[in-house]
Coordinates of all heavy atoms in Angstrom, one line a residue:
D1 N -15.2 18.6 4.4 CA -15.0 18.2 5.8 C -15.6 16.8 6.1 O -15.0 16.0 6.8 CB -15.7 19.2 6.7 CG -14.9 20.5 6.7 OD1 -13.7 20.5 6.3 OD2 -15.5 21.5 7.1
F2 N -16.7 16.5 5.4 CA -17.3 15.2 5.6 C -16.4 14.1 5.1 O -16.2 13.1 5.8 CB -18.7 15.1 4.9 CG -19.3 13.8 4.9 CD1 -19.8 13.2 6.1 CD2 -19.3 13.0 3.8 CE1 -20.3 12.0 6.1 CE2 -19.8 11.7 3.8 CZ -20.3 11.2 5.0
L3 N -15.8 14.3 3.9 CA -14.9 13.2 3.4 C -13.7 13.0 4.2 O -13.2 11.9 4.4 CB -14.6 13.6 2.0 CG -15.7 13.5 0.9 CD1 -15.2 14.0 -0.4 CD2 -16.3 12.2 0.9
L4 N -13.2 14.1 4.8 CA -12.0 14.0 5.7 C -12.4 13.2 7.0 O -11.6 12.3 7.4 CB -11.5 15.4 6.1 CG -10.3 15.4 6.9 CD1 -9.1 14.8 6.2 CD2 -10.0 16.9 7.3
V5 N -13.5 13.5 7.6 CA -14.0 12.7 8.8 C -14.2 11.3 8.4 O -13.9 10.4 9.1 CB -15.2 13.4 9.4 CG1 -15.8 12.5 10.5 CG2 -14.8 14.8 9.9
L6 N -14.9 11.1 7.2 CA -15.1 9.7 6.8 C -13.8 8.9 6.6 O -13.7 7.8 7.0 CB -15.9 9.7 5.5 CG -16.3 8.3 4.9 CD1 -17.2 7.6 5.8 CD2 -16.8 8.5 3.5
G7 N -12.8 9.5 6.0 CA -11.5 8.9 5.8 C -10.9 8.6 7.1 O -10.3 7.5 7.3
A8 N -10.9 9.5 8.0 CA -10.3 9.3 9.3 C -11.0 8.2 10.1 O -10.4 7.3 10.8 CB -10.3 10.6 10.2
A9 N -12.3 8.1 10.0 CA -13.1 7.0 10.7 C -12.8 5.7 10.1 O -12.6 4.7 10.8 CB -14.6 7.3 10.6
L10 N -12.6 5.6 8.7 CA -12.3 4.3 8.1 C -10.9 3.9 8.4 O -10.6 2.7 8.6 CB -12.5 4.5 6.6 CG -13.9 4.6 6.1 CD1 -14.0 4.9 4.6 CD2 -14.8 3.4 6.5
Q11 N -10.0 4.9 8.5 CA -8.6 4.5 8.9 C -8.5 4.0 10.3 O -7.8 3.1 10.6 CB -7.7 5.8 8.7 CG -6.3 5.5 8.9 CD -5.4 6.7 8.6 OE1 -5.9 7.8 8.5 NE2 -4.1 6.4 8.4
R12 N -9.3 4.6 11.2 CA -9.3 4.1 12.6 C -9.8 2.7 12.7 O -9.3 1.9 13.4 CB -10.2 5.1 13.4 CG -10.2 4.7 14.9 CD -11.0 5.6 15.7 NE -11.0 5.1 17.1 CZ -11.9 5.4 17.9 NH1 -12.9 6.2 17.6 NH2 -11.9 4.9 19.2
Q13 N -10.9 2.4 11.9 CA -11.4 1.1 11.8 C -10.4 0.1 11.4 O -10.3 -1.0 11.9 CB -12.7 1.0 10.9 CG -13.3 -0.3 10.9 CD -14.5 -0.3 9.9 OE1 -14.8 0.7 9.3 NE2 -15.1 -1.5 9.8
V14 N -9.6 0.4 10.4 CA -8.6 -0.5 9.9 C -7.5 -0.7 10.9 O -7.0 -1.8 11.2 CB -8.0 0.1 8.6 CG1 -6.7 -0.7 8.2 CG2 -9.0 0.0 7.5
F15 N -7.1 0.4 11.6 CA -6.1 0.3 12.7 C -6.6 -0.6 13.8 O -5.8 -1.4 14.4 CB -5.7 1.6 13.3 CG -4.9 2.5 12.4 CD1 -4.9 3.9 12.5 CD2 -4.2 1.9 11.3 CE1 -4.1 4.6 11.7 CE2 -3.4 2.7 10.5 CZ -3.4 4.1 10.7
E16 N -7.9 -0.6 14.2 CA -8.4 -1.4 15.2 C -8.5 -2.9 14.7 O -8.3 -3.8 15.5 CB -9.8 -0.9 15.6 CG -9.8 0.4 16.4 CD -11.2 0.9 16.7 OE1 -12.2 0.3 16.1 OE2 -11.3 1.9 17.4
E17 N -8.8 -3.1 13.5 CA -8.8 -4.5 13.0 C -7.4 -5.1 12.8 O -7.3 -6.3 12.9 CB -9.5 -4.5 11.6 CG -11.0 -4.3 11.7 CD -11.7 -4.2 10.4 OE1 -11.0 -4.4 9.3 OE2 -12.9 -4.0 10.3
E18 N -6.4 -4.2 12.6 CA -5.0 -4.8 12.5 C -4.5 -5.4 13.7 O -3.6 -6.3 13.6 CB -4.1 -3.6 12.1 CG -4.0 -3.3 10.6 CD -3.0 -2.3 10.3 OE1 -2.5 -1.6 11.2 OE2 -2.6 -2.2 9.2
V19 N -5.0 -5.1 14.9 CA -4.4 -5.7 16.1 C -5.1 -7.0 16.5 O -4.6 -7.7 17.4 CB -4.6 -4.7 17.3 CG1 -3.7 -3.4 17.1 CG2 -6.0 -4.3 17.6
Q20 N -6.1 -7.4 15.7 CA -6.7 -8.7 16.0 C -5.8 -9.8 15.5 O -5.2 -9.7 14.4 CB -8.1 -8.8 15.3 CG -9.1 -7.8 15.8 CD -10.4 -7.9 15.0 OE1 -10.5 -8.6 14.1 NE2 -11.3 -7.1 15.5
P21 N -5.7 -10.9 16.3 CA -4.8 -12.0 15.9 C -5.1 -12.6 14.6 O -4.2 -13.0 13.8 CB -4.9 -13.0 17.0 CG -5.5 -12.2 18.2 CD -6.3 -11.1 17.6
A22 N -6.3 -12.8 14.2 CA -6.7 -13.4 12.9 C -6.2 -12.6 11.8 O -5.7 -13.1 10.8 CB -8.2 -13.6 12.9
V23 N -6.3 -11.3 11.9 CA -5.8 -10.4 10.8 C -4.3 -10.4 10.7 O -3.7 -10.4 9.6 CB -6.4 -9.0 11.0 CG1 -5.8 -8.0 10.0 CG2 -7.9 -9.0 10.9
Q24 N -3.6 -10.5 11.9 CA -2.2 -10.5 11.9 C -1.6 -11.8 11.3 O -0.6 -11.8 10.7 CB -1.6 -10.3 13.3 CG -1.8 -8.9 13.8 CD -1.2 -8.7 15.2 OE1 -0.7 -9.7 15.8 NE2 -1.2 -7.5 15.7
I25 N -2.3 -12.9 11.4 CA -1.9 -14.1 10.8 C -2.0 -14.0 9.3 O -1.1 -14.4 8.6 CB -2.7 -15.3 11.3 CG1 -2.4 -15.6 12.8 CG2 -2.5 -16.6 10.4 CD1 -3.3 -16.6 13.4
L26 N -3.1 -13.4 8.8 CA -3.2 -13.3 7.3 C -2.3 -12.2 6.7 O -1.7 -12.4 5.7 CB -4.7 -12.9 7.0 CG -5.7 -14.0 7.3 CD1 -7.1 -13.5 7.0 CD2 -5.4 -15.2 6.4
A27 N -2.2 -11.1 7.4 CA -1.5 -9.9 6.8 C 0.0 -9.8 7.3 O 0.8 -9.2 6.6 CB -2.2 -8.6 7.1
G28 N 0.3 -10.5 8.4 CA 1.6 -10.3 8.9 C 1.7 -9.2 9.9 O 0.8 -8.4 10.0
D29 N 2.8 -9.1 10.6 CA 3.0 -8.0 11.6 C 3.6 -6.8 10.9 O 4.1 -6.8 9.8 CB 3.8 -8.4 12.8 CG 5.1 -8.9 12.4 OD1 5.5 -8.8 11.2 OD2 5.8 -9.4 13.3
N30 N 3.6 -5.7 11.6 CA 4.2 -4.4 11.1 C 5.5 -4.0 11.7 O 5.8 -2.9 11.8 CB 3.1 -3.3 11.2 CG 2.0 -3.4 10.3 OD1 2.1 -4.0 9.2 ND2 0.8 -3.0 10.7
W31 N 6.2 -5.0 12.2 CA 7.5 -4.7 12.9 C 8.5 -4.3 11.9 O 8.6 -4.8 10.8 CB 8.0 -5.9 13.7 CG 7.1 -6.3 14.8 CD1 6.2 -7.3 14.8 CD2 7.0 -5.6 16.0 NE1 5.5 -7.3 16.0 CE2 6.0 -6.3 16.8 CE3 7.6 -4.5 16.6 CZ2 5.6 -5.9 18.0 CZ3 7.2 -4.1 17.9 CH2 6.2 -4.8 18.6
E32 N 9.3 -3.3 12.3 CA 10.4 -2.9 11.4 C 11.5 -4.0 11.5 O 11.7 -4.7 12.5 CB 11.0 -1.6 11.9 CG 10.1 -0.4 11.7 CD 9.9 0.0 10.3 OE1 10.8 -0.2 9.5 OE2 8.8 0.5 10.0
L33 N 12.3 -4.1 10.4 CA 13.4 -5.1 10.4 C 14.5 -4.8 11.4 O 15.2 -5.7 11.8 CB 13.9 -5.2 9.0 CG 13.0 -5.9 8.0 CD1 13.6 -5.9 6.6 CD2 12.6 -7.3 8.4
D34 N 14.7 -3.5 11.7 CA 15.8 -3.2 12.6 C 15.4 -3.2 14.1 O 16.3 -2.9 14.9 CB 16.4 -1.9 12.2 CG 15.4 -0.7 12.2 OD1 14.2 -1.0 12.4 OD2 15.9 0.4 12.1
E35 N 14.2 -3.4 14.4 CA 13.8 -3.5 15.8 C 14.1 -4.9 16.4 O 13.8 -5.9 15.7 CB 12.3 -3.2 15.9 CG 11.9 -1.7 15.7 CD 10.5 -1.5 15.9 OE1 9.7 -2.4 16.3 OE2 10.0 -0.4 15.6
D36 N 14.6 -4.9 17.6 CA 14.9 -6.2 18.2 C 13.6 -6.8 18.8 O 13.1 -7.9 18.4 CB 16.0 -6.1 19.2 CG 17.3 -6.2 18.5 OD1 17.4 -6.8 17.4 OD2 18.3 -5.6 19.0
N37 N 13.1 -6.2 19.9 CA 11.9 -6.7 20.6 C 11.9 -8.2 20.8 O 10.9 -8.8 20.8 CB 10.7 -6.3 19.8 CG 10.4 -4.8 19.7 OD1 10.9 -4.1 20.6 ND2 9.7 -4.4 18.7
G38 N 13.1 -8.7 21.1 CA 13.1 -10.1 21.5 C 13.1 -11.1 20.3 O 12.9 -12.3 20.4
R39 N 13.2 -10.5 19.1 CA 13.1 -11.4 17.9 C 14.5 -11.6 17.4 O 15.5 -11.1 17.9 CB 12.3 -10.7 16.8 CG 10.8 -10.6 17.3 CD 10.1 -9.8 16.2 NE 8.7 -9.8 16.6 CZ 7.7 -9.9 15.8 NH1 7.9 -10.0 14.5 NH2 6.5 -9.8 16.2
V40 N 14.6 -12.4 16.3 CA 15.9 -12.7 15.7 C 16.4 -11.4 15.1 O 15.7 -10.7 14.4 CB 15.7 -13.8 14.6 CG1 17.0 -14.0 14.0 CG2 15.1 -15.0 15.2
S41 N 17.7 -11.1 15.4 CA 18.3 -9.8 14.9 C 18.7 -9.9 13.5 O 18.9 -8.8 12.9 CB 19.4 -9.4 15.8 OG 20.4 -10.4 15.7
D42 N 18.8 -11.0 12.9 CA 19.2 -11.1 11.5 C 18.0 -10.8 10.6 O 17.0 -11.6 10.6 CB 19.8 -12.5 11.2 CG 20.3 -12.6 9.8 OD1 20.6 -11.6 9.2 OD2 20.5 -13.8 9.3
P43 N 18.0 -9.8 9.7 CA 16.9 -9.5 8.9 C 16.5 -10.5 7.9 O 15.4 -10.7 7.5 CB 17.2 -8.1 8.3 CG 18.7 -7.9 8.4 CD 19.1 -8.8 9.6
I44 N 17.5 -11.2 7.4 CA 17.3 -12.3 6.4 C 16.5 -13.4 7.0 O 15.6 -14.0 6.3 CB 18.6 -12.8 5.8 CG1 19.4 -11.7 5.1 CG2 18.3 -13.9 4.8 CD1 18.6 -11.0 4.0
R45 N 16.7 -13.8 8.2 CA 16.0 -14.8 8.9 C 14.5 -14.4 9.2 O 13.7 -15.3 9.3 CB 16.6 -15.3 10.1 CG 17.9 -15.9 9.9 CD 18.5 -16.5 11.2 NE 19.8 -17.0 10.9 CZ 20.5 -17.8 11.7 NH1 20.0 -18.0 12.9 NH2 21.7 -18.2 11.4
R46 N 14.3 -13.1 9.2 CA 12.9 -12.7 9.5 C 12.0 -12.7 8.3 O 10.8 -12.7 8.4 CB 13.0 -11.3 10.1 CG 13.4 -11.2 11.5 CD 12.9 -9.8 11.9 NE 13.6 -9.5 13.1 CZ 13.8 -8.2 13.5 NH1 13.4 -7.3 12.7 NH2 14.4 -8.0 14.6
L47 N 12.6 -12.6 7.1 CA 11.8 -12.6 5.9 C 11.0 -13.8 5.7 O 11.5 -14.9 6.0 CB 12.7 -12.4 4.7 CG 13.5 -11.1 4.6 CD1 14.4 -11.0 3.4 CD2 12.5 -9.9 4.6
C48 N 9.8 -13.7 5.4 CA 8.9 -14.8 5.2 C 8.2 -14.7 3.8 O 8.2 -13.6 3.2 CB 7.9 -15.0 6.3 SG 6.9 -13.6 6.5
V49 N 7.5 -15.7 3.4 CA 6.8 -15.7 2.1 C 5.6 -14.8 2.3 O 4.8 -15.0 3.3 CB 6.4 -17.1 1.7 CG1 5.6 -17.1 0.4 CG2 7.7 -17.9 1.5
N50 N 5.4 -13.9 1.4 CA 4.2 -13.0 1.4 C 3.0 -13.8 0.9 O 3.0 -14.2 -0.3 CB 4.5 -11.7 0.6 CG 3.4 -10.7 0.7 OD1 2.4 -10.9 1.5 ND2 3.5 -9.6 0.0
T51 N 2.0 -13.9 1.7 CA 0.8 -14.7 1.3 C -0.2 -13.8 0.6 O -1.1 -14.4 0.0 CB 0.1 -15.3 2.5 OG1 -0.2 -14.3 3.4 CG2 1.1 -16.3 3.2
G52 N 0.0 -12.5 0.5 CA -0.9 -11.6 -0.2 C -0.7 -11.8 -1.7 O 0.4 -11.9 -2.2
P53 N -1.8 -11.7 -2.4 CA -1.7 -11.8 -3.9 C -1.0 -10.5 -4.5 O -1.2 -9.4 -4.0 CB -3.1 -11.9 -4.4 CG -3.9 -11.3 -3.3 CD -3.2 -11.5 -2.0
D54 N -0.3 -10.7 -5.5 CA 0.4 -9.6 -6.2 C -0.4 -9.1 -7.4 O -0.7 -9.9 -8.3 CB 1.8 -10.1 -6.7 CG 2.7 -9.0 -7.2 OD1 2.3 -7.8 -7.1 OD2 3.7 -9.3 -7.9
F55 N -0.8 -7.9 -7.4 CA -1.6 -7.4 -8.5 C -0.9 -7.2 -9.8 O -1.5 -7.0 -10.8 CB -2.3 -6.1 -8.1 CG -1.4 -4.9 -8.0 CD1 -1.1 -4.1 -9.1 CD2 -0.8 -4.6 -6.7 CE1 -0.2 -3.0 -9.0 CE2 0.0 -3.5 -6.6 CZ 0.3 -2.7 -7.8
M56 N 0.4 -7.4 -9.8 CA 1.2 -7.2 -11.0 C 1.1 -8.5 -11.9 O 1.4 -8.4 -13.1 CB 2.7 -7.1 -10.7 CG 3.0 -5.8 -9.9 SD 2.7 -4.3 -10.8 CE 4.2 -4.2 -11.8
L57 N 0.5 -9.5 -11.4 CA 0.3 -10.7 -12.2 C -0.9 -10.6 -13.2 O -1.0 -11.4 -14.1 CB 0.1 -12.0 -11.3 CG 1.3 -12.3 -10.4 CD1 1.0 -13.5 -9.5 CD2 2.5 -12.6 -11.3
C58 N -1.8 -9.7 -12.9 CA -2.9 -9.4 -13.8 C -3.8 -10.7 -14.0 O -3.9 -11.2 -15.1 CB -2.5 -8.9 -15.2 SG -1.9 -7.2 -15.1
R59 N -4.4 -11.1 -12.9 CA -5.3 -12.3 -12.9 C -6.7 -11.9 -13.3 O -7.5 -12.8 -13.7 CB -5.2 -13.0 -11.6 CG -3.9 -13.7 -11.4 CD -4.0 -14.5 -10.1 NE -2.9 -13.9 -9.2 CZ -2.8 -14.2 -8.0 NH1 -3.6 -15.0 -7.4 NH2 -1.8 -13.7 -7.3
S60 N -7.0 -10.6 -13.1 CA -8.4 -10.2 -13.4 C -8.3 -8.8 -14.0 O -7.3 -8.2 -14.1 CB -9.2 -10.2 -12.1 OG -8.8 -9.2 -11.3
Y61 N -9.5 -8.3 -14.4 CA -9.5 -7.0 -15.0 C -9.3 -5.9 -13.9 O -8.7 -4.8 -14.2 CB -10.9 -6.7 -15.6 CG -11.1 -7.4 -16.9 CD1 -12.0 -8.5 -17.1 CD2 -10.3 -7.1 -18.0 CE1 -12.1 -9.1 -18.2 CE2 -10.4 -7.8 -19.2 CZ -11.4 -8.8 -19.3 OH -11.5 -9.5 -20.5
L62 N -9.6 -6.2 -12.7 CA -9.3 -5.3 -11.6 C -7.8 -5.2 -11.4 O -7.3 -4.1 -11.2 CB -10.0 -5.7 -10.3 CG -9.8 -4.9 -9.0 CD1 -10.3 -3.5 -9.3 CD2 -10.4 -5.5 -7.8
D63 N -7.1 -6.3 -11.4 CA -5.7 -6.3 -11.3 C -5.0 -5.5 -12.5 O -4.1 -4.8 -12.3 CB -5.1 -7.7 -11.3 CG -5.4 -8.4 -10.0 OD1 -5.7 -7.7 -9.0 OD2 -5.4 -9.6 -10.0
M64 N -5.6 -5.6 -13.6 CA -5.1 -4.9 -14.8 C -5.3 -3.4 -14.6 O -4.4 -2.6 -15.0 CB -5.8 -5.4 -16.1 CG -5.1 -4.9 -17.3 SD -5.9 -5.6 -18.8 CE -5.8 -7.4 -18.5
M65 N -6.5 -3.0 -14.1 CA -6.7 -1.6 -13.8 C -5.8 -1.0 -12.8 O -5.3 0.1 -12.9 CB -8.2 -1.3 -13.4 CG -9.2 -1.5 -14.5 SD -8.9 -0.4 -15.9 CE -9.3 1.1 -15.1
K66 N -5.5 -1.8 -11.7 CA -4.5 -1.3 -10.7 C -3.2 -1.1 -11.3 O -2.5 -0.2 -11.0 CB -4.5 -2.4 -9.6 CG -5.7 -2.4 -8.7 CD -5.4 -3.4 -7.6 CE -6.7 -3.9 -7.0 NZ -6.4 -5.0 -6.0
L67 N -2.8 -2.1 -12.1 CA -1.4 -2.0 -12.8 C -1.4 -0.7 -13.6 O -0.4 0.0 -13.6 CB -1.2 -3.2 -13.6 CG 0.1 -3.2 -14.4 CD1 1.3 -3.3 -13.4 CD2 0.2 -4.4 -15.3
I68 N -2.4 -0.4 -14.4 CA -2.4 0.8 -15.2 C -2.4 2.0 -14.4 O -1.6 3.0 -14.7 CB -3.6 0.8 -16.2 CG1 -3.4 -0.4 -17.2 CG2 -3.8 2.1 -16.9 CD1 -4.7 -0.6 -18.0
I69 N -3.2 2.1 -13.4 CA -3.2 3.3 -12.5 C -1.9 3.5 -11.8 O -1.4 4.6 -11.8 CB -4.4 3.2 -11.5 CG1 -5.7 3.3 -12.3 CG2 -4.3 4.2 -10.4 CD1 -6.9 3.0 -11.4
F70 N -1.4 2.5 -11.2 CA -0.1 2.7 -10.4 C 1.1 2.9 -11.3 O 2.1 3.5 -10.9 CB 0.1 1.5 -9.4 CG -0.9 1.5 -8.3 CD1 -1.6 0.4 -8.0 CD2 -1.2 2.7 -7.6 CE1 -2.5 0.3 -6.9 CE2 -2.1 2.6 -6.5 CZ -2.7 1.5 -6.2
S71 N 1.1 2.3 -12.5 CA 2.3 2.4 -13.3 C 2.3 3.7 -14.2 O 3.4 4.3 -14.4 CB 2.3 1.2 -14.3 OG 2.4 0.1 -13.6
Y72 N 1.1 4.2 -14.6 CA 1.1 5.3 -15.6 C 0.5 6.5 -15.1 O 0.6 7.6 -15.7 CB 0.4 4.8 -16.9 CG 1.0 3.7 -17.5 CD1 0.4 2.4 -17.5 CD2 2.3 3.8 -18.1 CE1 1.1 1.3 -18.1 CE2 2.9 2.7 -18.7 CZ 2.3 1.5 -18.7 OH 2.9 0.4 -19.3
M73 N -0.1 6.6 -13.9 CA -0.7 7.8 -13.4 C 0.4 8.8 -13.1 O 0.2 10.0 -13.2 CB -1.5 7.5 -12.1 CG -2.4 8.7 -11.7 SD -3.5 9.2 -13.0 CE -4.7 7.9 -13.0
F74 N 1.6 8.4 -12.7 CA 2.7 9.4 -12.5 C 3.0 10.1 -13.7 O 3.1 11.4 -13.7 CB 3.9 8.6 -12.0 CG 5.2 9.4 -12.0 CD1 5.4 10.4 -11.0 CD2 6.1 9.3 -13.0 CE1 6.5 11.1 -11.0 CE2 7.3 10.1 -13.0 CZ 7.5 11.0 -12.0
W75 N 3.1 9.5 -14.9 CA 3.4 10.1 -16.1 C 2.2 11.1 -16.6 O 2.5 12.1 -17.2 CB 3.7 9.1 -17.2 CG 4.9 8.4 -16.9 CD1 5.1 7.1 -16.5 CD2 6.3 8.9 -16.9 NE1 6.4 6.8 -16.3 CE2 7.2 7.9 -16.5 CE3 6.8 10.2 -17.3 CZ2 8.5 8.1 -16.5 CZ3 8.2 10.4 -17.2 CH2 9.0 9.3 -16.8
F76 N 1.0 10.7 -16.3 CA -0.1 11.5 -16.6 C -0.1 12.8 -15.8 O -0.3 13.9 -16.4 CB -1.4 10.7 -16.3 CG -2.7 11.5 -16.6 CD1 -3.1 11.9 -17.8 CD2 -3.4 12.0 -15.5 CE1 -4.2 12.7 -18.1 CE2 -4.6 12.7 -15.7 CZ -4.9 13.1 -17.0
V77 N 0.1 12.7 -14.5 CA 0.2 13.9 -13.7 C 1.4 14.8 -14.1 O 1.3 16.0 -14.1 CB 0.3 13.5 -12.2 CG1 0.6 14.7 -11.3 CG2 -1.0 12.8 -11.8
L78 N 2.5 14.2 -14.4 CA 3.7 14.9 -14.8 C 3.4 15.6 -16.1 O 3.8 16.8 -16.3 CB 4.9 14.0 -15.0 CG 6.3 14.6 -15.1 CD1 6.6 15.4 -13.8 CD2 7.3 13.5 -15.4
T79 N 2.7 15.0 -17.0 CA 2.3 15.7 -18.3 C 1.4 16.9 -18.1 O 1.6 17.9 -18.7 CB 1.7 14.7 -19.2 OG1 2.5 13.6 -19.4 CG2 1.3 15.3 -20.6
I80 N 0.4 16.7 -17.2 CA -0.5 17.8 -16.9 C 0.3 19.0 -16.2 O 0.0 20.1 -16.6 CB -1.6 17.3 -15.9 CG1 -2.5 16.3 -16.6 CG2 -2.5 18.5 -15.4 CD1 -3.2 16.8 -17.8
I81 N 1.2 18.7 -15.4 CA 2.0 19.8 -14.7 C 2.8 20.5 -15.8 O 3.0 21.7 -15.8 CB 2.8 19.2 -13.6 CG1 2.0 18.8 -12.4 CG2 3.9 20.2 -13.1 CD1 2.7 18.0 -11.3
F82 N 3.4 19.7 -16.7 CA 4.2 20.3 -17.8 C 3.4 21.2 -18.7 O 3.8 22.3 -19.0 CB 4.9 19.2 -18.6 CG 5.7 19.8 -19.8 CD1 6.9 20.4 -19.6 CD2 5.2 19.6 -21.0 CE1 7.6 20.9 -20.6 CE2 5.9 20.1 -22.1 CZ 7.1 20.7 -21.9
I83 N 2.2 20.7 -19.1 CA 1.3 21.5 -19.9 C 0.9 22.8 -19.2 O 0.8 23.9 -19.8 CB 0.1 20.7 -20.4 CG1 0.6 19.6 -21.3 CG2 -1.0 21.5 -21.0 CD1 -0.4 18.6 -21.7
T84 N 0.5 22.7 -17.9 CA 0.1 23.8 -17.1 C 1.2 24.8 -17.0 O 1.0 26.0 -17.1 CB -0.3 23.4 -15.7 OG1 -1.4 22.4 -15.8 CG2 -0.8 24.5 -14.9
G85 N 2.5 24.4 -16.8 CA 3.6 25.3 -16.7 C 4.0 26.0 -18.0 O 4.4 27.1 -18.0
T86 N 3.8 25.3 -19.1 CA 4.2 25.9 -20.4 C 3.1 26.8 -20.9 O 3.4 27.6 -21.8 CB 4.5 24.8 -21.4 OG1 3.4 23.9 -21.5 CG2 5.8 24.0 -21.0
T87 N 1.9 26.7 -20.5 CA 0.8 27.5 -21.1 C 0.6 28.8 -20.3 O -0.3 29.6 -20.6 CB -0.5 26.7 -21.2 OG1 -0.9 26.3 -19.9 CG2 -0.4 25.6 -22.1
R88 N 1.3 29.0 -19.2 CA 1.1 30.2 -18.4 C 1.7 31.4 -19.1 O 2.7 31.6 -19.6 CB 1.7 30.1 -17.0 CG 0.8 29.2 -16.2 CD 1.2 29.4 -14.8 NE 0.2 30.3 -14.3 CZ 0.2 30.9 -13.1 NH1 1.2 30.7 -12.3 NH2 -0.8 31.6 -12.7

């Protein structure tokens, strides 16, 4: 229960920080491409260069760990499920 409340509190803090203008400049907005809201309706014109770093480039050991976890954890979980299903 504590970890659930802690996760919810941290998520709320992130949501509150997302609405600040300085954070929106760095991270971009969260508008859907199909929403008009007075913006340009052509989705190609709305695309902009992503200023966030890409962890697939492996510039550090942390980026390398992220790449391994996100790329191969699916296969690890799938193997565990297969082994569990076959040993019953």
Side-chain angles (χ1 to χ4, degrees):
D1 289 340
F2 172 73
L3 292 176
L4 184 64
V5 171
L6 178 66
L10 291 173
Q11 187 175 16
R12 180 177 180 207
Q13 181 182 1
V14 169
F15 288 157
E16 290 174 353
E17 289 177 0
E18 275 185 342
V19 297
Q20 295 177 356
V23 175
Q24 286 184 357
I25 290 172
L26 292 174
D29 58 7
N30 289 329
W31 295 103
E32 294 288 333
L33 288 177
D34 59 349
E35 290 181 4
D36 276 333
N37 293 336
R39 295 177 177 217
V40 179
S41 61
D42 185 18
I44 300 299
R45 292 185 184 192
R46 284 199 198 154
L47 295 178
C48 60
V49 177
N50 188 1
T51 58
D54 186 11
F55 69 88
M56 298 294 278
L57 297 177
C58 292
R59 289 182 241 170
S60 67
Y61 288 114
L62 179 63
D63 290 340
M64 194 176 301
M65 289 300 295
K66 288 182 201 176
L67 179 66
I68 291 169
I69 288 171
F70 290 131
S71 298
Y72 299 111
M73 193 56 73
F74 168 76
W75 294 107
F76 176 71
V77 171
L78 194 63
T79 305
I80 296 297
I81 291 172
F82 176 73
I83 292 171
T84 303
T86 56
T87 58
R88 285 197 99 192

